[in-house]
Every structure is written in C-alpha cells, then in structure tokens.
Amino acid sequence: DQQVKQNSPSLSVQEGRISILNCDYTNSMFDYFLWYKKYPAEGPTFLISISSIKDKNEDGRFTVFLNKSAKHLSLHIVPSQPGDSAVYFCAAKDYGGSQGNLIFGKGTKLSVKP
Amino acid sequence: DGGITQSPKYLFRKEGQNVTLSCEQNLNHDAMYWYRQDPGQGLRLIYYSQIVNDFQKGDIAEGYSVSREKKESFPLTVTSAQKNPTAFYLCASSTPLNTGELFFGEGSRLTVL
C-alpha cells in the first residue's frame, strides 16, 4: 500500500499563475517531508522541506504547507515559470528512523506554458 | 566541483549478463543509496549504506548486489536474477543529519535487450 500518494500524475499551468501540487500520506509516524524536482534523464534535486512542528515553510517562489490532521501537504509555486516544468516528487520520513526510510510518491509532472 | 558521478549514463545488456553500475561521490558523505525509477513510478530503494563495509537491503533488493569498500564508492551490480532490470538507476548520498535531503547523481539508464 502506498504510504505517500500524489494523485495527480500531471498538471498544466499558465506562466505567471500559481501551481499547486498535492501529496497525501498515510503513516502517522512521518514527521519530515520533502519535495524534489526532476528533469528528464537527470537525478532529482532537493527543493524544499518541512518538519511536522511547522505548518508552512517558504523559500522564494516555493512554499510548502502541511496539514497534519488531514495528512496532506502541498507545494505552491508562485509565479510559475516555464523552467519549473519538471516532475515533482513528494517524500516523507520518520525523522528518528533510519536514513533509508525516505518514502517517495510517484510524482506529478508539471508543465508551465508560456 | 563536489558531487556524485554515475557511469555509464546509458548501458545495454543482454539477458543473462551481470552488469555493474558505478557511483562515486566527493562530498565526504557517509551514507549512500541506490534507487530505481520506472515510468510513472516513484523512486524505490534498492540498497543503502550508512558507513563503509556496511549496507542494508531496501524495498526491492532481490536480484541486486552492492559493496561499500570505500567511502567514496558504492557500486551496484544488476545480476541475471533480476527479472525486470530495464530501468533508470539513481545513486544518492546524504550527510549524517538524517534530514532526508539526498544528493543525486544524474542516473544510469539500463536497457536489457
């Protein structure tokens, strides 16, 4: 059973508008969440993270929101740019757990149209 | 420049052959990982190593083997026992901080003919 779910395989947004990528999780032990961005034929790169003691973390155009009661997090990109077109992976871990316990969602492919 | 180098970037293999994918890092990270990505799938953990001469199986270790003789190197061997080896393989490393922040290589695409 998937512990980290990204239910939208793809999302298309106009340049300059907001992109909202969603992620749900089932394991209540998860207390640290990350977003990675991946271009085709390249490795993912870390984008932003949030721990469960916060409900929001912001870094430039990127903001991650965490709703623990709903076991839901979202990544907002404002304003969206064509260079943001990539696959975005949500990942979660139990901070006290082993380094190997990072669980990835299946990804959402974002297309930002000029 | 510090980073993770994977080689080869593309590799073709005949059925029944073993193949070894190289992963080298100069970030001085203790922990290293191998992930597999299939189309429409997330990253699935094959093996990871938190320290030299030690490694643990991930979720899909069957048909794979690793070694960690040096801190900088974590090669992955895809054996003939792996039923469906065609995939994109990603190597990563991380600091001991256990934040989940991984530094990935550019990946190796293996195609079995």
Side-chain angles (χ1 to χ4, degrees):
Chain A
D1 190 28
Q2 273 188 278
Q3 297 187 67
V4 176
K5 299 178 185 178
Q6 293 178 257
N7 291 319
S8 297
S10 62
L11 175 68
S12 184
V13 170
Q14 206 65 33
E15 181 180 5
R17 306 295 290 269
I18 184 171
S19 295
I20 301 177
L21 295 94
N22 293 305
C23 178
D24 297 295
Y25 61 95
T26 57
N27 189 338
S28 57
M29 295 298 291
F30 289 151
D31 55 9
Y32 204 78
F33 305 90
L34 305 94
W35 286 93
Y36 284 83
K37 176 180 179 179
K38 184 181 181 300
Y39 293 116
E42 293 185 9
T45 54
F46 168 75
L47 192 57
I48 193 169
S49 63
I50 188 168
S51 86
S52 58
I53 62 172
K54 295 185 174 182
D55 53 19
K56 177 183 173 181
N57 189 25
E58 196 170 349
D59 183 2
R61 296 186 296 114
F62 302 91
T63 303
V64 57
F65 295 92
L66 175 62
N67 182 334
K68 289 187 289 294
S69 60
K71 294 193 178 68
H72 176 84
L73 64 154
S74 60
L75 174 68
H76 292 212
I77 307 174
V78 183
S80 301
Q81 300 173 353
D84 296 329
S85 297
V87 176
Y88 289 79
F89 290 99
C90 172
K93 77 186 306 292
D94 168 7
Y95 190 82
S98 161
Q99 282 275 51
N101 283 353
L102 188 62
I103 307 296
F104 285 86
K106 291 187 176 183
T108 296
K109 183 176 182 180
L110 173 66
S111 299
V112 180
K113 303 200 181 303
Chain B
D1 261 21
I4 299 190
T5 302
Q6 288 187 240
S7 63
K9 196 169 176 70
Y10 299 96
L11 186 61
F12 297 89
R13 182 193 101 176
K14 292 182 180 178
E15 277 193 37
Q17 288 181 334
N18 291 356
V19 64
T20 297
L21 306 180
S22 169
C23 178
E24 303 279 329
Q25 55 103 355
N26 60 4
L27 299 168
N28 201 32
H29 288 167
D30 288 309
M32 296 186 74
Y33 312 78
W34 275 104
Y35 286 88
R36 168 181 172 142
Q37 187 193 9
D38 295 284
Q41 299 292 320
L43 280 64
R44 292 184 290 167
L45 183 65
I46 304 172
Y47 267 99
Y48 68 102
S49 167
Q50 293 183 283
I51 199 167
V52 174
N53 292 323
D54 186 53
F55 48 83
Q56 284 79 42
K57 292 181 179 180
D59 299 321
I60 54 166
E62 186 175 347
Y64 299 98
S65 66
V66 293
S67 62
R68 188 83 187 277
E69 297 175 3
K70 298 188 298 182
K71 186 175 185 178
E72 305 80 26
S73 179
F74 191 40
L76 173 75
T77 296
V78 185
T79 76
S80 56
Q82 167 49 233
K83 297 276 188 282
N84 187 17
T86 294
F88 189 55
Y89 291 89
L90 287 158
C91 179
S93 69
S94 69
T95 70
L97 292 177
N98 202 20
T99 60
E101 184 177 344
L102 303 178
F103 296 80
F104 284 90
E106 293 203 336
S108 294
R109 180 164 297 283
L110 172 63
T111 302
V112 174
L113 304 172

